[in-house]
Amino acid sequence: MAQKPRRAWQRMLSGRRLDLLDPTPFDIEIADIAHGLAFVARWNGQTQGDWPYSVAEHSLLVERIFARLNPEAPARWRLAALLHDAPEYVIGDMISPVKSALGAEYGEMDQRLTTAIHRKFGLPAALPMTVKKKIKMADRVSARLEAVRIAGFADSEARRLFPVPDSAMLDDLEIRLRPPAEVRKAYLDRFSELIDEIDI
C-alpha cells in the first residue's frame, strides 16, 4: 500500500493554502505575513517587558537602521529590509543554535519562502550581494541593541556575539514593545508606504 504523502501546507487567515515545500507568489499575502510576524516572538520569548518582542517589530527596526545606514537606498531595498525575516511568519524565528542543529533543511525552506515572497512583491528572487550584506549589517545592529536592552546579555557578551563597526550608532535607537495588533498595523502601514514609493 502506497504511503500517504505528508501534509506540508498551512492554511493562512487570508484563506490561502501555503505549501511550505513548494511556495508560490500566488499564495503569499502581506496581511498573513504581518499577522504572523506580529505574533512570533524574537529570542524565543526570553525578553523583558510586558509584551513579547515580535519579529514584526524587529523588522521595522531593521528597515529603519538600514535606511539610516544607507540613506540613498531606493525604496525597493528598504522593502527588502522590511521583509528580511518574512518567512518566519510560517516557520517561526529559530535562534541561531537551533538553526545550526537543524542543518541545511531549515535554510532551504527559508530560501524557498524568501524567493516566493520576493517575487510576489517585485523584488529579485536573490538580492544583490551588496544589498544583502547591508541588510545583514542592519540586522546585526538590531540584534546587538535587542541583546543588551531586552534579552539580558551583558554588553561585553553582546559586543563579541554581535559586532558592529561603531557602537555610537546604537545610542538613539529605541526598542518598542507593543501589543501584536498595533505592531501588525505598523508593519502593514510601513509596507504600504514603501510600495507607494516604489510605484511612483
Side-chain angles (χ1 to χ4, degrees), residues 8-42:
W9 56 266
Q10 177 179 349
R11 184 171 302 283
M12 313 309 294
L13 286 179
S14 64
R16 298 289 189 193
R17 197 158 87 163
L18 181 66
D19 186 336
L20 300 180
L21 299 179
D22 187 24
T24 70
F26 178 76
D27 299 316
I28 305 293
E29 295 290 344
I30 192 59
D32 292 331
I33 292 173
H35 181 83
L37 295 184
F39 283 88
V40 172
R42 290 266 294 167

PDB file of all heavy atoms in Angstrom, residues 8-42:
ATOM      1  N   ALA A   8       2.224  19.273   3.865  1.00  0.00           N
ATOM      2  CA  ALA A   8       3.285  20.271   4.003  1.00  0.00           C
ATOM      3  C   ALA A   8       2.741  21.672   3.772  1.00  0.00           C
ATOM      4  O   ALA A   8       3.482  22.576   3.455  1.00  0.00           O
ATOM      5  CB  ALA A   8       4.419  19.973   3.032  1.00  0.00           C
ATOM      6  N   TRP A   9       1.449  21.856   3.925  1.00  0.00           N
ATOM      7  CA  TRP A   9       0.860  23.178   3.713  1.00  0.00           C
ATOM      8  C   TRP A   9       0.188  23.666   4.991  1.00  0.00           C
ATOM      9  O   TRP A   9      -0.156  22.897   5.865  1.00  0.00           O
ATOM     10  CB  TRP A   9      -0.154  23.154   2.563  1.00  0.00           C
ATOM     11  CG  TRP A   9      -1.257  22.151   2.709  1.00  0.00           C
ATOM     12  CD1 TRP A   9      -1.290  20.891   2.213  1.00  0.00           C
ATOM     13  CD2 TRP A   9      -2.498  22.330   3.429  1.00  0.00           C
ATOM     14  NE1 TRP A   9      -2.456  20.263   2.570  1.00  0.00           N
ATOM     15  CE2 TRP A   9      -3.215  21.118   3.313  1.00  0.00           C
ATOM     16  CE3 TRP A   9      -3.055  23.373   4.150  1.00  0.00           C
ATOM     17  CZ2 TRP A   9      -4.473  20.937   3.883  1.00  0.00           C
ATOM     18  CZ3 TRP A   9      -4.304  23.196   4.729  1.00  0.00           C
ATOM     19  CH2 TRP A   9      -4.995  21.988   4.593  1.00  0.00           C
ATOM     20  N   GLN A  10       0.024  24.956   5.036  1.00  0.00           N
ATOM     21  CA  GLN A  10      -0.701  25.581   6.146  1.00  0.00           C
ATOM     22  C   GLN A  10      -1.746  26.512   5.566  1.00  0.00           C
ATOM     23  O   GLN A  10      -1.464  27.269   4.636  1.00  0.00           O
ATOM     24  CB  GLN A  10       0.245  26.381   7.049  1.00  0.00           C
ATOM     25  CG  GLN A  10      -0.498  27.091   8.166  1.00  0.00           C
ATOM     26  CD  GLN A  10       0.416  27.866   9.096  1.00  0.00           C
ATOM     27  OE1 GLN A  10       1.620  27.736   9.047  1.00  0.00           O
ATOM     28  NE2 GLN A  10      -0.181  28.690   9.946  1.00  0.00           N
ATOM     29  N   ARG A  11      -2.938  26.459   6.128  1.00  0.00           N
ATOM     30  CA  ARG A  11      -3.982  27.398   5.721  1.00  0.00           C
ATOM     31  C   ARG A  11      -3.753  28.705   6.462  1.00  0.00           C
ATOM     32  O   ARG A  11      -3.589  28.738   7.673  1.00  0.00           O
ATOM     33  CB  ARG A  11      -5.376  26.852   6.026  1.00  0.00           C
ATOM     34  CG  ARG A  11      -6.475  27.786   5.519  1.00  0.00           C
ATOM     35  CD  ARG A  11      -7.851  27.170   5.619  1.00  0.00           C
ATOM     36  NE  ARG A  11      -7.978  25.930   4.888  1.00  0.00           N
ATOM     37  CZ  ARG A  11      -8.109  25.827   3.564  1.00  0.00           C
ATOM     38  NH1 ARG A  11      -8.087  26.924   2.827  1.00  0.00           N
ATOM     39  NH2 ARG A  11      -8.230  24.664   2.980  1.00  0.00           N
ATOM     40  N   MET A  12      -3.730  29.787   5.702  1.00  0.00           N
ATOM     41  CA  MET A  12      -3.499  31.098   6.273  1.00  0.00           C
ATOM     42  C   MET A  12      -4.839  31.778   6.567  1.00  0.00           C
ATOM     43  O   MET A  12      -5.881  31.372   6.029  1.00  0.00           O
ATOM     44  CB  MET A  12      -2.664  31.954   5.308  1.00  0.00           C
ATOM     45  CG  MET A  12      -1.442  31.242   4.722  1.00  0.00           C
ATOM     46  SD  MET A  12      -0.373  30.455   5.949  1.00  0.00           S
ATOM     47  CE  MET A  12       0.245  31.887   6.811  1.00  0.00           C
ATOM     48  N   LEU A  13      -4.810  32.827   7.368  1.00  0.00           N
ATOM     49  CA  LEU A  13      -6.054  33.518   7.706  1.00  0.00           C
ATOM     50  C   LEU A  13      -6.709  34.153   6.478  1.00  0.00           C
ATOM     51  O   LEU A  13      -7.922  34.356   6.456  1.00  0.00           O
ATOM     52  CB  LEU A  13      -5.798  34.586   8.771  1.00  0.00           C
ATOM     53  CG  LEU A  13      -5.560  34.047  10.189  1.00  0.00           C
ATOM     54  CD1 LEU A  13      -5.282  35.200  11.146  1.00  0.00           C
ATOM     55  CD2 LEU A  13      -6.763  33.243  10.674  1.00  0.00           C
ATOM     56  N   SER A  14      -5.900  34.467   5.464  1.00  0.00           N
ATOM     57  CA  SER A  14      -6.454  35.029   4.233  1.00  0.00           C
ATOM     58  C   SER A  14      -7.242  33.991   3.437  1.00  0.00           C
ATOM     59  O   SER A  14      -7.955  34.335   2.500  1.00  0.00           O
ATOM     60  CB  SER A  14      -5.324  35.554   3.346  1.00  0.00           C
ATOM     61  OG  SER A  14      -4.492  34.468   2.938  1.00  0.00           O
ATOM     62  N   GLY A  15      -7.104  32.720   3.812  1.00  0.00           N
ATOM     63  CA  GLY A  15      -7.721  31.636   3.052  1.00  0.00           C
ATOM     64  C   GLY A  15      -6.739  30.943   2.123  1.00  0.00           C
ATOM     65  O   GLY A  15      -7.044  29.884   1.576  1.00  0.00           O
ATOM     66  N   ARG A  16      -5.566  31.536   1.931  1.00  0.00           N
ATOM     67  CA  ARG A  16      -4.541  30.914   1.094  1.00  0.00           C
ATOM     68  C   ARG A  16      -4.047  29.632   1.745  1.00  0.00           C
ATOM     69  O   ARG A  16      -4.011  29.505   2.966  1.00  0.00           O
ATOM     70  CB  ARG A  16      -3.355  31.854   0.892  1.00  0.00           C
ATOM     71  CG  ARG A  16      -3.701  33.137   0.176  1.00  0.00           C
ATOM     72  CD  ARG A  16      -3.992  32.912  -1.265  1.00  0.00           C
ATOM     73  NE  ARG A  16      -4.116  34.173  -1.987  1.00  0.00           N
ATOM     74  CZ  ARG A  16      -4.615  34.264  -3.198  1.00  0.00           C
ATOM     75  NH1 ARG A  16      -5.055  33.196  -3.829  1.00  0.00           N
ATOM     76  NH2 ARG A  16      -4.699  35.425  -3.807  1.00  0.00           N
ATOM     77  N   ARG A  17      -3.651  28.677   0.911  1.00  0.00           N
ATOM     78  CA  ARG A  17      -3.060  27.444   1.396  1.00  0.00           C
ATOM     79  C   ARG A  17      -1.605  27.443   0.945  1.00  0.00           C
ATOM     80  O   ARG A  17      -1.302  27.257  -0.234  1.00  0.00           O
ATOM     81  CB  ARG A  17      -3.814  26.244   0.816  1.00  0.00           C
ATOM     82  CG  ARG A  17      -3.544  24.973   1.576  1.00  0.00           C
ATOM     83  CD  ARG A  17      -4.642  23.969   1.363  1.00  0.00           C
ATOM     84  NE  ARG A  17      -4.397  23.174   0.174  1.00  0.00           N
ATOM     85  CZ  ARG A  17      -5.004  22.022  -0.092  1.00  0.00           C
ATOM     86  NH1 ARG A  17      -5.906  21.552   0.740  1.00  0.00           N
ATOM     87  NH2 ARG A  17      -4.734  21.362  -1.181  1.00  0.00           N
ATOM     88  N   LEU A  18      -0.701  27.694   1.878  1.00  0.00           N
ATOM     89  CA  LEU A  18       0.713  27.864   1.567  1.00  0.00           C
ATOM     90  C   LEU A  18       1.447  26.540   1.713  1.00  0.00           C
ATOM     91  O   LEU A  18       1.505  25.964   2.798  1.00  0.00           O
ATOM     92  CB  LEU A  18       1.328  28.910   2.502  1.00  0.00           C
ATOM     93  CG  LEU A  18       2.805  29.211   2.280  1.00  0.00           C
ATOM     94  CD1 LEU A  18       3.026  29.886   0.927  1.00  0.00           C
ATOM     95  CD2 LEU A  18       3.338  30.088   3.402  1.00  0.00           C
ATOM     96  N   ASP A  19       1.994  26.056   0.609  1.00  0.00           N
ATOM     97  CA  ASP A  19       2.794  24.834   0.603  1.00  0.00           C
ATOM     98  C   ASP A  19       4.215  25.199   1.006  1.00  0.00           C
ATOM     99  O   ASP A  19       4.910  25.915   0.278  1.00  0.00           O
ATOM    100  CB  ASP A  19       2.769  24.209  -0.800  1.00  0.00           C
ATOM    101  CG  ASP A  19       3.461  22.857  -0.856  1.00  0.00           C
ATOM    102  OD1 ASP A  19       4.336  22.583  -0.006  1.00  0.00           O
ATOM    103  OD2 ASP A  19       3.134  22.072  -1.762  1.00  0.00           O
ATOM    104  N   LEU A  20       4.667  24.721   2.147  1.00  0.00           N
ATOM    105  CA  LEU A  20       5.990  25.085   2.653  1.00  0.00           C
ATOM    106  C   LEU A  20       7.114  24.489   1.825  1.00  0.00           C
ATOM    107  O   LEU A  20       8.231  25.009   1.816  1.00  0.00           O
ATOM    108  CB  LEU A  20       6.138  24.643   4.112  1.00  0.00           C
ATOM    109  CG  LEU A  20       5.136  25.251   5.086  1.00  0.00           C
ATOM    110  CD1 LEU A  20       5.376  24.742   6.485  1.00  0.00           C
ATOM    111  CD2 LEU A  20       5.202  26.758   5.059  1.00  0.00           C
ATOM    112  N   LEU A  21       6.838  23.394   1.122  1.00  0.00           N
ATOM    113  CA  LEU A  21       7.879  22.765   0.313  1.00  0.00           C
ATOM    114  C   LEU A  21       7.921  23.324  -1.103  1.00  0.00           C
ATOM    115  O   LEU A  21       8.940  23.230  -1.778  1.00  0.00           O
ATOM    116  CB  LEU A  21       7.664  21.244   0.258  1.00  0.00           C
ATOM    117  CG  LEU A  21       7.718  20.530   1.612  1.00  0.00           C
ATOM    118  CD1 LEU A  21       7.479  19.039   1.436  1.00  0.00           C
ATOM    119  CD2 LEU A  21       9.047  20.791   2.306  1.00  0.00           C
ATOM    120  N   ASP A  22       6.810  23.924  -1.539  1.00  0.00           N
ATOM    121  CA  ASP A  22       6.762  24.482  -2.892  1.00  0.00           C
ATOM    122  C   ASP A  22       5.905  25.753  -2.890  1.00  0.00           C
ATOM    123  O   ASP A  22       4.846  25.811  -3.523  1.00  0.00           O
ATOM    124  CB  ASP A  22       6.187  23.438  -3.859  1.00  0.00           C
ATOM    125  CG  ASP A  22       6.263  23.899  -5.306  1.00  0.00           C
ATOM    126  OD1 ASP A  22       7.115  24.760  -5.624  1.00  0.00           O
ATOM    127  OD2 ASP A  22       5.456  23.404  -6.120  1.00  0.00           O
ATOM    128  N   PRO A  23       6.352  26.789  -2.164  1.00  0.00           N
ATOM    129  CA  PRO A  23       5.548  28.016  -2.082  1.00  0.00           C
ATOM    130  C   PRO A  23       5.561  28.781  -3.402  1.00  0.00           C
ATOM    131  O   PRO A  23       6.558  28.778  -4.120  1.00  0.00           O
ATOM    132  CB  PRO A  23       6.252  28.812  -0.979  1.00  0.00           C
ATOM    133  CG  PRO A  23       7.665  28.343  -1.013  1.00  0.00           C
ATOM    134  CD  PRO A  23       7.624  26.901  -1.438  1.00  0.00           C
ATOM    135  N   THR A  24       4.442  29.410  -3.714  1.00  0.00           N
ATOM    136  CA  THR A  24       4.361  30.221  -4.921  1.00  0.00           C
ATOM    137  C   THR A  24       3.962  31.646  -4.537  1.00  0.00           C
ATOM    138  O   THR A  24       3.310  31.856  -3.504  1.00  0.00           O
ATOM    139  CB  THR A  24       3.314  29.669  -5.907  1.00  0.00           C
ATOM    140  OG1 THR A  24       2.009  29.894  -5.363  1.00  0.00           O
ATOM    141  CG2 THR A  24       3.523  28.182  -6.176  1.00  0.00           C
ATOM    142  N   PRO A  25       4.321  32.625  -5.357  1.00  0.00           N
ATOM    143  CA  PRO A  25       3.911  34.009  -5.073  1.00  0.00           C
ATOM    144  C   PRO A  25       2.399  34.156  -4.928  1.00  0.00           C
ATOM    145  O   PRO A  25       1.925  34.995  -4.159  1.00  0.00           O
ATOM    146  CB  PRO A  25       4.440  34.793  -6.279  1.00  0.00           C
ATOM    147  CG  PRO A  25       5.596  33.984  -6.770  1.00  0.00           C
ATOM    148  CD  PRO A  25       5.205  32.548  -6.526  1.00  0.00           C
ATOM    149  N   PHE A  26       1.642  33.336  -5.643  1.00  0.00           N
ATOM    150  CA  PHE A  26       0.174  33.411  -5.594  1.00  0.00           C
ATOM    151  C   PHE A  26      -0.350  33.164  -4.177  1.00  0.00           C
ATOM    152  O   PHE A  26      -1.398  33.679  -3.793  1.00  0.00           O
ATOM    153  CB  PHE A  26      -0.426  32.383  -6.560  1.00  0.00           C
ATOM    154  CG  PHE A  26      -1.924  32.356  -6.553  1.00  0.00           C
ATOM    155  CD1 PHE A  26      -2.658  33.357  -7.183  1.00  0.00           C
ATOM    156  CD2 PHE A  26      -2.617  31.342  -5.912  1.00  0.00           C
ATOM    157  CE1 PHE A  26      -4.049  33.346  -7.174  1.00  0.00           C
ATOM    158  CE2 PHE A  26      -4.007  31.310  -5.889  1.00  0.00           C
ATOM    159  CZ  PHE A  26      -4.725  32.311  -6.522  1.00  0.00           C
ATOM    160  N   ASP A  27       0.381  32.377  -3.391  1.00  0.00           N
ATOM    161  CA  ASP A  27      -0.083  32.010  -2.055  1.00  0.00           C
ATOM    162  C   ASP A  27       0.403  32.956  -0.960  1.00  0.00           C
ATOM    163  O   ASP A  27       0.160  32.711   0.222  1.00  0.00           O
ATOM    164  CB  ASP A  27       0.373  30.583  -1.722  1.00  0.00           C
ATOM    165  CG  ASP A  27      -0.214  29.579  -2.696  1.00  0.00           C
ATOM    166  OD1 ASP A  27      -1.416  29.695  -3.001  1.00  0.00           O
ATOM    167  OD2 ASP A  27       0.523  28.701  -3.168  1.00  0.00           O
ATOM    168  N   ILE A  28       1.092  34.020  -1.342  1.00  0.00           N
ATOM    169  CA  ILE A  28       1.650  34.969  -0.382  1.00  0.00           C
ATOM    170  C   ILE A  28       0.745  36.190  -0.276  1.00  0.00           C
ATOM    171  O   ILE A  28       0.366  36.775  -1.285  1.00  0.00           O
ATOM    172  CB  ILE A  28       3.059  35.423  -0.829  1.00  0.00           C
ATOM    173  CG1 ILE A  28       3.993  34.230  -1.065  1.00  0.00           C
ATOM    174  CG2 ILE A  28       3.649  36.428   0.161  1.00  0.00           C
ATOM    175  CD1 ILE A  28       4.353  33.442   0.147  1.00  0.00           C
ATOM    176  N   GLU A  29       0.392  36.568   0.943  1.00  0.00           N
ATOM    177  CA  GLU A  29      -0.394  37.777   1.195  1.00  0.00           C
ATOM    178  C   GLU A  29       0.299  38.583   2.288  1.00  0.00           C
ATOM    179  O   GLU A  29       0.671  38.023   3.332  1.00  0.00           O
ATOM    180  CB  GLU A  29      -1.818  37.438   1.639  1.00  0.00           C
ATOM    181  CG  GLU A  29      -2.660  36.730   0.591  1.00  0.00           C
ATOM    182  CD  GLU A  29      -3.052  37.613  -0.573  1.00  0.00           C
ATOM    183  OE1 GLU A  29      -2.934  38.858  -0.455  1.00  0.00           O
ATOM    184  OE2 GLU A  29      -3.481  37.061  -1.593  1.00  0.00           O
ATOM    185  N   ILE A  30       0.444  39.873   2.089  1.00  0.00           N
ATOM    186  CA  ILE A  30       1.130  40.698   3.090  1.00  0.00           C
ATOM    187  C   ILE A  30       0.374  40.705   4.416  1.00  0.00           C
ATOM    188  O   ILE A  30       0.997  40.770   5.497  1.00  0.00           O
ATOM    189  CB  ILE A  30       1.376  42.139   2.571  1.00  0.00           C
ATOM    190  CG1 ILE A  30       2.352  42.887   3.507  1.00  0.00           C
ATOM    191  CG2 ILE A  30       0.071  42.894   2.407  1.00  0.00           C
ATOM    192  CD1 ILE A  30       3.712  42.258   3.682  1.00  0.00           C
ATOM    193  N   ALA A  31      -0.950  40.604   4.390  1.00  0.00           N
ATOM    194  CA  ALA A  31      -1.716  40.573   5.645  1.00  0.00           C
ATOM    195  C   ALA A  31      -1.353  39.342   6.467  1.00  0.00           C
ATOM    196  O   ALA A  31      -1.263  39.412   7.698  1.00  0.00           O
ATOM    197  CB  ALA A  31      -3.213  40.598   5.352  1.00  0.00           C
ATOM    198  N   ASP A  32      -1.133  38.210   5.803  1.00  0.00           N
ATOM    199  CA  ASP A  32      -0.723  36.994   6.516  1.00  0.00           C
ATOM    200  C   ASP A  32       0.672  37.166   7.111  1.00  0.00           C
ATOM    201  O   ASP A  32       0.930  36.759   8.255  1.00  0.00           O
ATOM    202  CB  ASP A  32      -0.708  35.791   5.566  1.00  0.00           C
ATOM    203  CG  ASP A  32      -2.086  35.382   5.098  1.00  0.00           C
ATOM    204  OD1 ASP A  32      -3.067  35.601   5.836  1.00  0.00           O
ATOM    205  OD2 ASP A  32      -2.181  34.835   3.978  1.00  0.00           O
ATOM    206  N   ILE A  33       1.569  37.773   6.338  1.00  0.00           N
ATOM    207  CA  ILE A  33       2.938  37.993   6.821  1.00  0.00           C
ATOM    208  C   ILE A  33       2.914  38.905   8.044  1.00  0.00           C
ATOM    209  O   ILE A  33       3.502  38.587   9.090  1.00  0.00           O
ATOM    210  CB  ILE A  33       3.821  38.592   5.711  1.00  0.00           C
ATOM    211  CG1 ILE A  33       4.039  37.559   4.594  1.00  0.00           C
ATOM    212  CG2 ILE A  33       5.169  39.057   6.274  1.00  0.00           C
ATOM    213  CD1 ILE A  33       4.753  38.105   3.369  1.00  0.00           C
ATOM    214  N   ALA A  34       2.225  40.032   7.935  1.00  0.00           N
ATOM    215  CA  ALA A  34       2.184  40.991   9.041  1.00  0.00           C
ATOM    216  C   ALA A  34       1.565  40.369  10.291  1.00  0.00           C
ATOM    217  O   ALA A  34       2.066  40.554  11.408  1.00  0.00           O
ATOM    218  CB  ALA A  34       1.403  42.234   8.623  1.00  0.00           C
ATOM    219  N   HIS A  35       0.490  39.630  10.102  1.00  0.00           N
ATOM    220  CA  HIS A  35      -0.170  38.996  11.242  1.00  0.00           C
ATOM    221  C   HIS A  35       0.753  37.977  11.898  1.00  0.00           C
ATOM    222  O   HIS A  35       0.949  37.983  13.121  1.00  0.00           O
ATOM    223  CB  HIS A  35      -1.470  38.321  10.796  1.00  0.00           C
ATOM    224  CG  HIS A  35      -2.205  37.679  11.921  1.00  0.00           C
ATOM    225  ND1 HIS A  35      -3.038  38.375  12.763  1.00  0.00           N
ATOM    226  CD2 HIS A  35      -2.204  36.391  12.364  1.00  0.00           C
ATOM    227  CE1 HIS A  35      -3.536  37.555  13.669  1.00  0.00           C
ATOM    228  NE2 HIS A  35      -3.046  36.343  13.453  1.00  0.00           N
ATOM    229  N   GLY A  36       1.320  37.090  11.086  1.00  0.00           N
ATOM    230  CA  GLY A  36       2.189  36.053  11.640  1.00  0.00           C
ATOM    231  C   GLY A  36       3.386  36.633  12.365  1.00  0.00           C
ATOM    232  O   GLY A  36       3.696  36.239  13.499  1.00  0.00           O
ATOM    233  N   LEU A  37       4.072  37.594  11.735  1.00  0.00           N
ATOM    234  CA  LEU A  37       5.275  38.167  12.339  1.00  0.00           C
ATOM    235  C   LEU A  37       4.962  38.929  13.623  1.00  0.00           C
ATOM    236  O   LEU A  37       5.792  38.986  14.534  1.00  0.00           O
ATOM    237  CB  LEU A  37       5.989  39.090  11.350  1.00  0.00           C
ATOM    238  CG  LEU A  37       6.579  38.443  10.096  1.00  0.00           C
ATOM    239  CD1 LEU A  37       7.337  39.475   9.275  1.00  0.00           C
ATOM    240  CD2 LEU A  37       7.482  37.265  10.434  1.00  0.00           C
ATOM    241  N   ALA A  38       3.778  39.526  13.694  1.00  0.00           N
ATOM    242  CA  ALA A  38       3.398  40.268  14.900  1.00  0.00           C
ATOM    243  C   ALA A  38       3.177  39.346  16.093  1.00  0.00           C
ATOM    244  O   ALA A  38       3.225  39.787  17.244  1.00  0.00           O
ATOM    245  CB  ALA A  38       2.135  41.096  14.636  1.00  0.00           C
ATOM    246  N   PHE A  39       2.948  38.055  15.820  1.00  0.00           N
ATOM    247  CA  PHE A  39       2.710  37.091  16.894  1.00  0.00           C
ATOM    248  C   PHE A  39       3.881  36.139  17.115  1.00  0.00           C
ATOM    249  O   PHE A  39       3.793  35.259  17.977  1.00  0.00           O
ATOM    250  CB  PHE A  39       1.424  36.304  16.609  1.00  0.00           C
ATOM    251  CG  PHE A  39       0.173  37.079  16.915  1.00  0.00           C
ATOM    252  CD1 PHE A  39      -0.397  37.905  15.955  1.00  0.00           C
ATOM    253  CD2 PHE A  39      -0.422  37.001  18.158  1.00  0.00           C
ATOM    254  CE1 PHE A  39      -1.542  38.634  16.238  1.00  0.00           C
ATOM    255  CE2 PHE A  39      -1.566  37.721  18.450  1.00  0.00           C
ATOM    256  CZ  PHE A  39      -2.139  38.545  17.485  1.00  0.00           C
ATOM    257  N   VAL A  40       4.956  36.294  16.362  1.00  0.00           N
ATOM    258  CA  VAL A  40       6.151  35.458  16.557  1.00  0.00           C
ATOM    259  C   VAL A  40       7.149  36.238  17.407  1.00  0.00           C
ATOM    260  O   VAL A  40       7.544  37.356  17.048  1.00  0.00           O
ATOM    261  CB  VAL A  40       6.804  35.066  15.207  1.00  0.00           C
ATOM    262  CG1 VAL A  40       8.138  34.361  15.436  1.00  0.00           C
ATOM    263  CG2 VAL A  40       5.871  34.175  14.400  1.00  0.00           C
ATOM    264  N   ALA A  41       7.557  35.645  18.527  1.00  0.00           N
ATOM    265  CA  ALA A  41       8.460  36.326  19.452  1.00  0.00           C
ATOM    266  C   ALA A  41       9.916  36.095  19.052  1.00  0.00           C
ATOM    267  O   ALA A  41      10.314  34.974  18.721  1.00  0.00           O
ATOM    268  CB  ALA A  41       8.240  35.822  20.877  1.00  0.00           C
ATOM    269  N   ARG A  42      10.699  37.165  19.087  1.00  0.00           N
ATOM    270  CA  ARG A  42      12.153  37.061  18.936  1.00  0.00           C
ATOM    271  C   ARG A  42      12.750  36.474  20.218  1.00  0.00           C
ATOM    272  O   ARG A  42      12.124  36.495  21.269  1.00  0.00           O
ATOM    273  CB  ARG A  42      12.757  38.448  18.718  1.00  0.00           C
ATOM    274  CG  ARG A  42      12.442  39.083  17.401  1.00  0.00           C
ATOM    275  CD  ARG A  42      13.495  38.843  16.363  1.00  0.00           C
ATOM    276  NE  ARG A  42      14.780  39.475  16.677  1.00  0.00           N
ATOM    277  CZ  ARG A  42      15.907  39.183  16.034  1.00  0.00           C
ATOM    278  NH1 ARG A  42      15.930  38.280  15.093  1.00  0.00           N
ATOM    279  NH2 ARG A  42      17.025  39.801  16.360  1.00  0.00           N
TER     280      ARG A  42
END
